[in-house]
Amino acid sequence: MSSTSLTLTCIARRADTHDVTSWQFASLTGDLPAVLAGQCITLHTEIDGKLQCRAYTLSSSPQDACWQVTIKDVGLVSHHLHQSLQVGGEIRADGPFGDFHLTALPCERPLLLSAGSGITPMWAMLRDELARRPEA
Ligand SMILES: Cc1cc2nc3c(=O)[nH]c(=O)nc-3n(C[C@H](O)[C@H](O)[C@H](O)COP(=O)(O)OP(=O)(O)OC[C@H]3O[C@@H](n4cnc5c(N)ncnc54)[C@H](O)[C@@H]3O)c2cc1C
């Protein structure tokens, strides 16, 4: 599965809690690359003239038509995104990448344990698992 660089357009934004927001994205140029549940993308943004990049797991499942990230407002980039990234906005992304996915380790009854923002890959894996194996 190859990683690529693309420009994403924000098509929806939802406040999940007072300091956690989810953004949904479509690709400006067409189809989004295939993704495995649990993989991340790198978001690139410019703050005070300096390029900054951070990794964010896709909280959407591979069956979804758009990509979603869910970000806690904790520091420089996450705060900037909370303040500035609105519906219609564009952002550069690389990815998807990462080997943390159930596809690499198929099992009958997976146990998903997470804490804090670590819930985002679990959420993607859970939804992917239920889409592929509703009896799971
Ligand atoms: C593979 C991967 C997947 C990830 N997925 C997600 C995800 O799905 N959702 C998500 O929210 N995050 C995720 N992250 C974390 C994300 O990449 C960023 O690290 C996170 O958003 C913080 O970046 P920031 O620029 O907002 O904070 P930074 O400015 O980089 O600060 C990081 C932390 O240090 C603290 N800090 C900064 N400066 C100081 C200082 N001077 N003194 C004391 N403390 C300080 C901040 O409060 C913050 O807690 C993921 C990271 C990785 C590696």
Side-chain angles (χ1 to χ4, degrees):
M1 196 160 288
S2 62
S3 157
T4 187
S5 184
L6 65 165
T7 302
L8 300 175
T9 305
C10 176
I11 56 172
R13 175 185 165 136
R14 180 190 69 234
D16 295 314
T17 70
H18 71 282
D19 60 357
V20 175
T21 296
S22 293
W23 288 263
Q24 293 183 348
F25 299 107
S27 167
L28 190 65
T29 48
D31 289 345
L32 290 164
V35 61
L36 297 171
Q39 287 192 307
C40 330
I41 57 175
T42 305
L43 294 182
H44 302 260
T45 189
E46 194 176 308
I47 303 173
D48 296 333
K50 283 181 68 177
L51 279 177
Q52 305 283 348
C53 61
R54 297 289 188 274
Y56 293 103
T57 305
L58 292 169
S59 55
S60 44
S61 82
Q63 292 79 20
D64 292 337
C66 58
W67 281 356
Q68 176 176 280
V69 292
T70 300
I71 301 178
K72 185 168 184 179
D73 184 350
V74 293
L76 182 69
V77 172
S78 56
H79 187 66
H80 176 75
L81 295 175
H82 276 254
Q83 294 298 309
S84 64
L85 185 53
Q86 306 296 338
V87 173
E90 293 177 4
I91 191 162
R92 193 164 79 75
D94 293 332
F97 62 88
D99 297 326
F100 185 56
H101 49 78
L102 285 179
T103 318
L105 291 168
C107 52
E108 188 58 30
R109 299 179 66 195
L111 171 66
L112 306 175
L113 292 177
S114 70
S117 300
I119 198 168
T120 51
M122 306 304 178
W123 183 239
M125 289 177 191
L126 182 64
R127 293 187 55 227
D128 181 44
E129 190 73 1
L130 287 174
R132 290 185 297 111
R133 297 196 308 142
E135 77 287 359

